Amino acid sequence: MSAKNDLCIMVSDNKSEHENRHVSIKEDYDFDYSQRGQWLRAAVLGATDGLVSVASLMMGVGAVKHDVRAMILTGFAGLVAGACSMAIGEFVSVYSQRDVEVAQMKRDRKNAGNNDQESEKEALPNPIQAAAASACAFMIGAIIPLLAAAFIVNHKIRLGVVVATVSLALVIFGWIGAVLGKTPVLKSCLRLLVGGWMAMVVTFALTKWIGSTGL
């Protein structure tokens, strides 16, 4: 009888373990990864924008000037201006979205006769947090090419190091975005990498051409 009872307990444990595993797998598949879309878009966009825009500015200046100081000052100016622009743009965008959602909540509350405003306010986007996050993400991306070029004296080596560093950072940003968003890694990395290369090549080539004309 004792052996029989032990056998019953073991079956019960296995069944419970199977049910827990089934629930865990079901919750993983039911998770809506699109919920990450808003903050993921802002973070990846801000960091990538800072990386590519500042690197392209530095490559453009490097096409006509060999002085490392000129490249660093240009990159730093791009970092400050870009971070301010991203913060202001994100603040205005999120605040406009907040106004629309507040107006819709008022209409819904009026129709339903519901006066619970506290829970509704918690669900609203915060424009100040969004602006700060966007500016920080931009600065994180922008500081990478600045650090890559800061300590290299030789002009050609400096340009090559900037391109290599920016390329590696673009691959890393693409990988992070793909992993967090559960999207194809290779496609995400290639998209960012090709876009960054195009921006740097176009900026370098046009600045070189304009500089050669003597303007």
Side-chain angles (χ1 to χ4, degrees):
M1 288 295 292
S2 177
K4 186 175 181 180
N5 290 337
D6 291 343
L7 179 62
C8 292
I9 293 173
M10 289 174 64
V11 172
S12 176
D13 287 343
N14 290 335
K15 183 178 180 181
S16 177
E17 182 181 352
H18 175 73
E19 289 177 351
N20 290 337
R21 189 185 303 112
H22 178 71
V23 170
S24 178
I25 295 173
K26 186 176 185 298
E27 288 177 352
D28 182 66
Y29 278 105
D30 288 344
F31 183 79
D32 185 7
Y33 288 96
S34 64
Q35 294 176 357
R36 297 175 174 175
Q38 185 174 1
W39 67 264
L40 179 61
R41 177 199 64 82
V44 174
L45 176 63
T48 305
D49 192 12
L51 178 68
V52 174
S53 60
V54 171
S56 298
L57 279 172
M58 294 173 65
M59 293 296 293
V61 172
V64 294
K65 287 184 177 292
H66 292 188
D67 184 15
V68 63
R69 187 169 180 270
M71 287 186 67
I72 297 301
L73 286 176
T74 301
F76 181 76
L79 183 153
V80 175
C84 293
S85 176
M86 290 288 290
I88 294 171
E90 194 71 16
F91 181 85
V92 172
S93 175
V94 174
Y95 214 107
S96 299
Q97 178 185 350
R98 181 187 177 97
D99 290 342
V100 172
E101 293 185 9
V102 168
Q104 183 61 44
M105 286 178 178
K106 288 182 179 179
R107 288 191 293 267
D108 294 341
R109 197 163 54 242
K110 183 178 180 181
N111 294 333
N114 183 14
N115 294 323
D116 186 13
Q117 300 182 15
E118 294 299 325
S119 60
E120 292 179 350
K121 289 181 178 179
E122 293 178 358
L124 292 173
N126 190 320
I128 297 178
Q129 289 182 354
S134 184
C136 289
F138 185 94
M139 288 188 289
I140 290 173
I143 201 70
I144 295 174
L146 284 172
L147 293 177
F151 307 104
I152 301 177
V153 178
N154 186 278
H155 174 65
K156 292 183 179 179
I157 295 178
R158 190 190 317 129
L159 293 179
V161 169
V162 169
V163 172
T165 304
V166 170
S167 299
L168 178 60
L170 287 171
V171 171
I172 293 174
F173 288 165
W175 177 80
I176 292 174
V179 170
L180 294 179
K182 296 297 181 181
T183 58
V185 174
L186 182 60
K187 185 177 180 180
S188 178
C189 293
L190 285 177
R191 183 166 55 236
L192 285 181
L193 190 59
V194 173
W197 284 347
M198 290 177 62
M200 288 187 289
V201 168
V202 169
T203 306
F204 182 89
L206 288 179
T207 308
K208 186 76 172 178
W209 174 69
I210 292 175
S212 65
T213 61
L215 294 179

